[in-house]
């Protein structure tokens, strides 16, 4: 059974950077598409970025140009590098996995069967 654990969240000032990690256990990530989502208080969960099983990347408009997703299959870990952070980026960030998807298409949470517990990111001066 695949399990995901996020780490790397924290508090930063506007303009700062964080790198989130999503580490897998129980299975290798080689054949999984990984999505990054976030949920701010009072708001719906929204997609941020995706990396397919073959490394195809996609970004939501809110993340494009500031965030970079990458994966290290040897370490069964996916990363989300976040730069130029804004207060609007404040949220709990989740990684999620779906098996056998070799492309990224949309950010429907129901397409992902495995979720981490989330890591808090707070951007504030």
């Amino acid at each position: 059974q695949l399990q995901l654990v996020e780490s790397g969240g924290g508090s930063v000032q506007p303009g700062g950077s964080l790198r989130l990690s999503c580490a897998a256990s129980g299975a290798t990530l080689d054949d999984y598409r990984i999505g990054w989502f976030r949920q701010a208080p009072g708001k719906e969960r929204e997609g941020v970025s995706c990396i397919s099983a073959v490394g195809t990347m996609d970004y939501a408009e809110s993340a494009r140009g500031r965030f970079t997703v990458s994966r290290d299959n040897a370490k069964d870990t996916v990363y989300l590098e976040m730069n130029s952070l804004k207060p609007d980026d404040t949220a709990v960030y989740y990684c999620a996995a779906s098996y056998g998807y070799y492309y990224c298409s949309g950010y429907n949470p129901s397409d992902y069967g495995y979720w981490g517990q989330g890591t808090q990111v707070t951007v504030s001066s």
Side-chain angles (χ1 to χ4, degrees):
Q1 178 81 358
L2 178 68
Q3 294 183 318
L4 303 173
V5 177
E6 302 95 335
S7 62
S11 295
V12 295
Q13 294 185 340
S17 299
L18 285 173
R19 188 177 79 156
L20 305 184
S21 298
C22 173
S25 62
T28 61
L29 281 182
D30 294 29
D31 294 318
Y32 287 85
R33 173 179 70 181
I34 303 298
W36 283 98
F37 293 79
R38 67 186 183 186
Q39 189 165 19
K43 295 187 177 181
E44 293 187 354
R45 191 167 297 190
E46 65 172 353
V48 175
S49 182
C50 168
I51 185 164
S52 75
V54 294
T56 304
M57 295 168 284
D58 185 74
Y59 300 93
E61 185 174 351
S62 61
R64 198 167 294 128
R66 300 187 300 128
F67 294 3
T68 302
V69 64
S70 61
R71 64 190 298 155
D72 185 341
N73 286 347
K75 295 182 178 180
D76 288 321
T77 301
V78 173
Y79 304 97
L80 184 68
E81 183 78 33
M82 305 187 297
N83 298 313
S84 302
L85 284 164
K86 307 173 183 178
D88 284 349
D89 295 319
T90 296
V92 178
Y93 283 70
Y94 301 88
C95 64
S98 56
Y99 181 79
Y101 281 83
Y102 298 94
Y103 58 90
C104 288
S105 177
Y107 294 95
N108 188 345
S110 64
D111 289 341
Y112 294 81
Y114 304 91
W115 290 81
Q117 83 290 348
T119 185
Q120 176 70 47
V121 171
T122 302
V123 185
S124 174
S125 56

